[in-house]
Amino acid sequence: MKNLNFITKILHTKFLKEDPHGSLHMPVYDNVTFEFKTAEDLELAFAGKKPAHMYSRISNPTVEHFEQRIRAVTDARGVIALSSGMAAISNTILTIAKTGDNIITSKHLFGNTYSLFEQTLKDWGLEARYADLTNAKETLKLIDERTRAIFLETITNPQLEVVDIQALSEAAKSKGVLVIADTTMTPPYVFSAKEFGVDIEVISSTKWISGGATSIGGVIIDHGLYDWNRNPKLKRDVVKYGPFAFINRLRREVYRNIGACMSPHNAYLQSLGLETLPLRVEASCANTFKIAEFLNKPGQVKSVNHPGLKDSPYYETARRQFADKPGAVLTFDLGSKEQCFKFMNGLKLIRKATNLHDNRTLILHPASTIFCEYDDETKLQMGIKDTMIRLSVGIEDSGDLIADIEQSLGRVR
Ligand code: PLP
């Protein structure tokens, strides 16, 4: 059948090989190695002439099925699952860039991604150039012959800014520059990255995809839009693998050598997570709207930030890109760090923990946690205020959540 919906495709993604017992779930192949009948078969597999699993750091049937499910719903050229979202980001950059190259991005990023660019990769001679990605014209001015990609988050964490991705990707294309989008806040089902011109999608599947924080994982998706001939590092791979240059270089070199593979057990959990992704996304987005509207009432808090609110500067762009699902994270301002802590400590239901898209609602003070390693000046440039609280909204009953927020706000005021 053609034109199946997201959830139907996920639930009915065929196994590449029939299960001998007719299992409906792909079993957990928790093994390391795979036996071959003959030495010749082994030789063909290592030469890449006969597709086969050889060693679970490189590929594994359970992990492959998870990858196939994502491929089924994204119509991607290739998908690779990794041990974490950070592994997805770092493996991608290591595949496309080398010393002396540069990546254009924003200072408004997830803290560890900023640290990857500003510390880890900088030490290896990769330059991060920071732009306001909401301004495509200004961003283009930073491009030179060593620019290998523009890297963006679809909704920045925790600033909650939304870039006009179509405009930025069209601008990047005019210069032949790759667009990499971290879609952790808006994974497939919410956002069709390919339709907006994203070349490579990276996701922390730890978040929504895992089923609500069951396991750590990451995903890289090659949407097949980019001409890899334009990347000097991948030229020899284009000769060998044509349009599959990126995915093959990744699988056969960077992913294999760095060793940040997804474990088969995590792939099983994450595959289960995919089966309920639409249901959970709908529930948390609906809760987020209700909480945002409650907090936005006069006198509740100093300000509320959520791209789904009509007074957000990103409302129109978010609507165009994510329809009625502009993420399940909101931030609000309580005027001082002391008030933020008092509010957090007064909550009875909402949990104080660092993560996004758990099934439970989680609260965090970003300035003193994820961004604690940066000085005040850097935090300011990153859009992190001491007065800001981040809420990742779960799937509990919205009335219960609002009651908890209301009783704690009552103590703060
Ligand atoms: N990207 C974003 C937007 C995130 O919020 C996070 C983690 O919070 C990551 C990437 C990293 O994901 P992981 O913890 O799976 O490495």
Side-chain angles (χ1 to χ4, degrees):
M1 283 167 72
K2 283 191 176 155
N3 298 327
L4 295 176
N5 256 302
F6 183 99
I7 197 156
T8 317
K9 279 187 187 162
I10 289 288
L11 288 166
H12 296 281
T13 306
K14 291 218 160 23
F15 298 168
L16 290 177
K17 282 188 181 167
E18 206 173 310
D19 183 74
H21 304 286
S23 170
L24 279 181
H25 280 299
M26 171 57 78
V28 185
Y29 281 87
D30 233 343
N31 57 316
V32 171
T33 195
F34 302 83
E35 188 181 15
F36 288 74
K37 287 227 158 59
T38 65
E40 289 79 5
D41 285 344
L42 250 173
E43 184 184 31
L44 287 173
F46 268 79
K49 292 183 177 155
K50 195 173 171 188
H53 299 291
M54 301 173 289
Y55 191 75
S56 285
R57 170 162 46 76
I58 304 165
S59 73
N60 168 281
T62 315
V63 179
E64 181 181 55
H65 182 63
F66 172 64
E67 293 166 346
Q68 289 294 319
R69 283 182 148 189
I70 294 195
R71 200 158 163 231
V73 289
T74 54
D75 192 27
R77 178 165 287 154
V79 176
I80 292 191
L82 302 95
S83 58
S84 68
M86 288 315 301
I89 297 169
S90 52
N91 273 251
T92 299
I93 304 294
L94 292 174
T95 305
I96 57 142
K98 55 184 175 189
T99 303
D101 288 344
N102 66 73
I103 305 286
I104 297 173
T105 187
S106 158
K107 282 207 171 165
H108 293 189
L109 282 177
F110 168 58
N112 296 173
T113 309
Y114 179 73
S115 167
L116 173 75
F117 287 136
E118 210 33 43
Q119 289 158 345
T120 318
L121 294 176
K122 199 177 202 173
D123 283 349
W124 292 95
L126 186 80
E127 183 195 353
R129 297 184 172 178
Y130 299 101
D132 171 6
L133 299 180
T134 61
N135 186 337
K137 252 191 181 166
E138 286 302 308
T139 305
L140 283 196
K141 287 187 188 157
L142 294 182
I143 293 177
D144 65 15
E145 71 287 352
R146 297 298 302 264
T147 302
R148 296 293 164 249
I150 295 176
F151 180 97
L152 65 105
E153 288 176 9
T154 49
I155 300 180
T156 64
N157 172 22
Q159 305 82 0
L160 309 184
E161 288 163 353
V162 181
V163 172
D164 182 337
I165 297 166
Q166 188 95 50
L168 191 65
S169 63
E170 276 169 15
K173 264 169 199 69
S174 72
K175 301 271 185 185
V177 172
L178 181 78
V179 174
I180 305 169
D182 178 334
T183 65
T184 299
M185 298 265 237
T186 59
Y189 178 68
V190 174
F191 176 57
S192 303
K194 190 177 190 169
E195 283 172 23
F196 289 82
V198 171
D199 299 300
I200 299 288
E201 193 173 352
V202 288
I203 315 176
S204 166
S205 55
T206 310
K207 316 293 176 197
W208 246 331
I209 289 178
S210 76
T214 65
S215 49
I216 302 273
V219 176
I220 300 172
I221 304 173
D222 177 358
H223 284 294
L225 302 176
Y226 193 69
D227 174 6
W228 295 110
N229 255 316
R230 302 200 71 137
N231 183 308
K233 187 170 172 179
L234 292 177
K235 277 210 153 87
R236 71 176 156 89
D237 305 277
V238 175
V239 174
K240 229 168 156 186
Y241 305 113
F244 294 90
F246 169 80
I247 217 79
N248 270 289
R249 180 74 174 265
L250 186 55
R251 176 82 74 190
R252 293 165 170 279
E253 186 202 302
V254 180
Y255 177 82
R256 184 198 66 184
N257 294 354
I258 300 282
C261 55
M262 180 176 273
S263 81
H265 184 68
N266 282 11
Y268 178 77
L269 292 172
Q270 304 236 339
S271 235
L272 285 184
L274 275 178
E275 295 189 0
T276 56
L277 178 70
L279 309 176
R280 290 178 290 105
V281 165
E282 297 288 346
S284 4
C285 285
N287 279 352
T288 309
F289 275 119
K290 287 182 189 155
I291 294 173
E293 275 170 5
F294 168 78
L295 288 172
N296 215 19
K297 283 186 200 154
Q300 296 289 19
V301 294
K302 282 202 137 188
S303 61
V304 188
N305 182 16
H306 178 59
L309 285 172
K310 287 211 171 90
D311 55 14
S312 160
Y314 306 108
Y315 176 78
E316 291 298 336
T317 315
R319 189 95 204 150
R320 216 168 39 248
Q321 294 174 170
F322 319 125
D324 58 346
K325 293 179 266 296
V329 177
L330 59 86
T331 62
F332 52 95
D333 196 301
L334 281 179
S336 72
K337 178 182 172 186
E338 291 68 35
Q339 293 289 74
C340 291
F341 275 31
K342 204 168 165 195
F343 172 74
M344 287 174 69
N345 290 334
L347 291 166
K348 297 194 157 100
L349 193 64
I350 294 172
R351 309 293 186 95
K352 294 177 269 299
T354 176
N355 195 17
L356 302 175
H357 311 313
D358 193 302
N359 291 333
R360 284 154 285 264
T361 299
L362 308 181
I363 194 155
L364 184 87
H365 179 252
S368 61
T369 54
I370 306 176
F371 295 89
C372 67
E373 67 195 78
Y374 301 110
D375 58 37
D376 289 348
E377 167 78 21
T378 313
K379 275 189 213 168
L380 207 64
Q381 289 170 2
M382 296 170 88
I384 306 301
K385 286 198 219 147
D386 223 17
T387 54
M388 176 215 275
I389 283 208
R390 185 186 82 182
L391 204 63
S392 165
V393 181
I395 61 173
E396 303 98 326
D397 178 83
S398 61
D400 293 339
L401 291 172
I402 290 171
D404 193 25
I405 292 168
E406 195 167 22
Q407 66 79 25
S408 192
L409 275 181
R411 292 160 192 259
V412 171
R413 274 192 226 110

